[in-house]
């Protein structure tokens, strides 16, 4: 079966712009989580959505937001981009157990 | 998330050698996970541990859930070139609820194999 699909794979944006990243989970997975990966901070949890509702949230500013659609696809939005937002953004979908917790290949965002 | 201290930060190993890395925390965890990340890809789950003292193997990989529930280690036996990558520990804290998937990650161990 198809894995977790993230689009786009690479993105370059200018400081102050906004960006939307997309994540299509494995079919049947209702939970989608987002993580930010940077060399300095490692993998940091952003938020998790389950059945279109945000169920868990990390410690990121309000510029980071997300949503989940009825087909479980999720989008993450970052407004007013800062240089420090440059990172690999990973999403993971889940069946509801950690064994089913599968990561996508990520979107590499570069803010210039 | 809660801090996981992973060590070593990096290692150079000879092909055929055994490798060990560990992860510690000041908090109790209900689940310990070990992931491997190849360049340009997302982390892939290697081993999941659910009970204190549990020892689980996956091929040449063996991981253990510490009895204090505050640590875990991963061993790779007879390393081969494809073992190159970054290994992460991750955990689900005991303070979380049933539906809490706020994984905390270690900083990673970069493994490089000398042929």
């Amino acid at each position: 079966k198809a894995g977790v699909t993230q689009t786009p794979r690479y993105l370059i944006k200018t400081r102050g712009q906004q960006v939307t990243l997309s994540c299509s989970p494995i079919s049947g997975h209702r939970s989608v989580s987002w993580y930010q990966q940077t060399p300095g901070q490692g993998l940091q949890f952003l938020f998790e959505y389950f059945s279109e509702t945000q169920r868990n949230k990390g410690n990121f500013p309000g510029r980071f937001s997300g949503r989940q659609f009825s087909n479980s696809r999720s989008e993450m939005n970052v407004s007013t981009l800062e240089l420090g937002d440059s990172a690999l953004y990973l999403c993971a979908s889940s069946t509801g157990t950690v064994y089913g917790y599968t990561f996508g290949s990520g979107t590499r965002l570069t803010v210039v | 998330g809660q801090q996981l201290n992973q060590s070593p930060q990096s290692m150079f190993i000879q092909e055929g050698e055994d490798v060990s890395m560990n992860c510690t925390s000041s908090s109790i965890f209900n689940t310990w996970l070990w992931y491997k990340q190849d360049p340009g890809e997302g982390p892939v789950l290697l081993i999941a541990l659910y009970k204190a003292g549990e020892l689980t193997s996956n091929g040449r990989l063996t991981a253990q859930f510490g009895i204090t529930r505050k640590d875990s280690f991963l061993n790779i036996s007879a390393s081969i070139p494809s073992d190159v990558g970054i290994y992460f520990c991750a955990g689900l804290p005991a303070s979380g609820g049933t539906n809490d998937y706020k994984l905390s990650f270690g900083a990673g161990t970069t493994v490089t194999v000398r042929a």
Side-chain angles (χ1 to χ4, degrees):
Chain A
K1 59 181 176 183
V4 179
T5 303
Q6 291 188 248
T7 57
R9 285 299 304 271
Y10 303 93
L11 206 50
I12 299 175
K13 288 287 189 178
T14 304
R15 193 169 44 181
Q17 286 186 313
Q18 74 165 12
V19 68
T20 300
L21 312 181
S22 178
C23 174
S24 294
I26 291 173
S27 178
H29 287 197
R30 295 166 64 189
S31 167
V32 174
S33 299
W34 289 88
Y35 290 82
Q36 181 195 65
Q37 186 176 25
T38 60
Q41 297 296 319
L43 278 142
Q44 301 288 322
F45 174 82
L46 281 153
F47 30 64
E48 183 232 356
Y49 285 85
F50 182 84
S51 293
E52 301 179 63
T53 301
Q54 188 181 85
R55 191 164 62 172
N56 291 292
K57 190 177 189 301
N59 299 318
F60 277 80
R63 299 186 297 108
F64 292 81
S65 63
R67 59 178 176 168
Q68 186 179 34
F69 301 95
S70 58
N71 62 358
S72 293
R73 188 177 71 87
S74 177
E75 287 182 347
M76 191 193 94
N77 186 76
V78 188
S79 62
T80 320
L81 285 165
E82 300 175 0
L83 296 179
D85 296 332
S86 295
L88 180 67
Y89 289 88
L90 292 160
C91 83
S93 73
S94 171
T95 57
T97 69
V98 291
Y99 256 115
Y101 204 83
T102 304
F103 281 89
S105 297
T107 293
R108 172 76 61 186
L109 172 64
T110 302
V111 182
V112 297
Chain B
Q2 285 148 31
Q3 192 75 20
L4 295 183
N5 300 307
Q6 187 172 349
S7 65
Q9 187 175 14
S10 62
M11 57 171 60
F12 290 86
I13 58 175
Q14 194 77 28
E15 188 174 349
E17 281 183 344
D18 295 346
V19 173
S20 285
M21 59 194 79
N22 68 76
C23 213
T24 61
S25 171
S26 58
S27 303
I28 291 172
F29 281 75
N30 281 338
T31 300
W32 283 98
L33 309 168
W34 285 92
Y35 287 88
K36 178 174 183 261
Q37 186 174 26
D38 292 323
E41 298 297 328
V44 174
L45 181 64
L46 299 173
I47 294 179
L49 302 159
Y50 300 105
K51 295 192 302 185
E54 181 180 357
L55 184 72
T56 298
S57 292
N58 178 8
R60 294 179 296 106
L61 307 176
T62 302
Q64 185 159 29
F65 192 143
I67 58 172
T68 66
R69 298 171 65 192
K70 294 182 178 181
D71 62 340
S72 177
F73 72 76
L74 175 71
N75 284 345
I76 306 172
S77 63
S79 55
I80 60 178
S82 63
D83 290 333
V84 162
I86 304 176
Y87 292 80
F88 291 96
C89 62
L92 283 173
S95 56
T98 304
N99 294 318
D100 187 345
Y101 288 106
K102 292 169 65 173
L103 289 178
S104 295
F105 279 83
T109 296
T110 301
V111 173
T112 306
V113 178
R114 290 190 292 261

